[in-house]
Amino acid sequence: MSGTHKPVPRIDTSHEHCRAIAETLDRIGDKWTVLAVGVLEQGPLRYNEVRRSISGISQRMLTLTLKNLERDGLVTRTMYATIPPRVDYELTELGRNLLVPLRSLREWAVRHRPAMLAARKRFADKGRSARFGQRAL
Amino acid sequence: MSGTHKPVPRIDTSHEHCRAIAETLDRIGDKWTVLAVGVLEQGPLRYNEVRRSISGISQRMLTLTLKNLERDGLVTRTMYATIPPRVDYELTELGRNLLVPLRSLREWAVRHRPAMLAARKRFADKGRSARFGQRAL
DNA sequence: CTGAATCCACCAAGATACTG
DNA sequence: CAGTATCTTGGTGGATTCAG
């Protein structure tokens, strides 16, 4: 292990790291993926159980979201040839690993998102007052 | 106040966390935001420095991305009325805080994304063999 | 140099209806 | 119950041009 005690001293040798993040975000940054992962956190669910757990999702988008999660090895899909048919979805190890950065993101959202929204509001107000010559609306 | 005192204080107690994540992802999950934050990690940069640091970005998208970051209090925008004009962008405290979950995401990407891509490939191959009657292509 | 403005292509995602 | 198939649309982002 030659001399180097810490193999990760520098964070950003180039922006290929950023690209890795961006690509990951491109995958999980759609409208429903993290919600699906979230509701599956507690354990396996049937198709319609997932559906009911994510209010507002359409059948089409749920099917697409789950299929993509299965394709990427983040959830398993288990069919039971019963009548009526039954399909269970469950997070894989890989999928559960994803919960770690998601929790980190949640942590940021809980702690700092209010400040962000406040800044957004200030920005909007500033823009409005500028457009109306510094006069309150 | 007849009967109904509280319309509905709790919307989704367990999954509102997922919504918070989803909303955050909706904000930073676009094509360029994390890349911009990433290149600004090392310190303030001028407009064209950022531009050159993010290969492939158009003027329009860079301007939009930076403006949104400024609006949400994640970066500061400092104009110098010189000729030629100069504008510096720099991460705020809020913006630097965002680096924490982003690093967590990068950690996942580095460690687990190869497995995800492998699963995706297996899935594609499986689909192909299925469509061609179990025969290798 | 640092943008703003305009036009346009593409695709994610919703609505709806149908199927095994 | 667990999906597919088809159509439609709003928004994201690219290319180009104009401006202070």
Side-chain angles (χ1 to χ4, degrees), chain B residues 12 14 17 32 49 110:
Chain B
D12 200 351
S14 57
H17 291 298
W32 304 110
E49 289 175 333
V110 170

Side-chain angles (χ1 to χ4, degrees), chain B residues 60-76:
Chain B
R60 170 181 146 84
M61 290 318 296
L62 178 58
T63 300
L64 278 177
T65 301
L66 289 173
K67 181 179 293 181
N68 285 334
L69 285 171
E70 184 199 5
R71 165 177 58 91
D72 290 347
L74 298 169
V75 308
T76 57

Side-chain angles (χ1 to χ4, degrees), chain B residues 86-131:
Chain B
R86 164 185 180 152
V87 182
D88 278 14
Y89 293 91
E90 183 173 14
L91 284 184
T92 63
E93 173 73 15
L94 194 57
R96 282 189 296 275
N97 283 330
L98 189 56
L99 292 170
V100 175
L102 289 185
R103 274 191 273 264
S104 181
L105 219 46
R106 183 188 63 195
E107 182 67 14
W108 185 90
V110 170
R111 301 240 317 244
H112 301 294
R113 206 159 166 282
M116 191 181 88
L117 296 179
R120 187 178 299 182
K121 187 177 189 319
R122 281 197 303 276
F123 192 88
D125 292 344
K126 194 183 57 173
R128 189 164 28 245
S129 67
R131 277 196 304 282

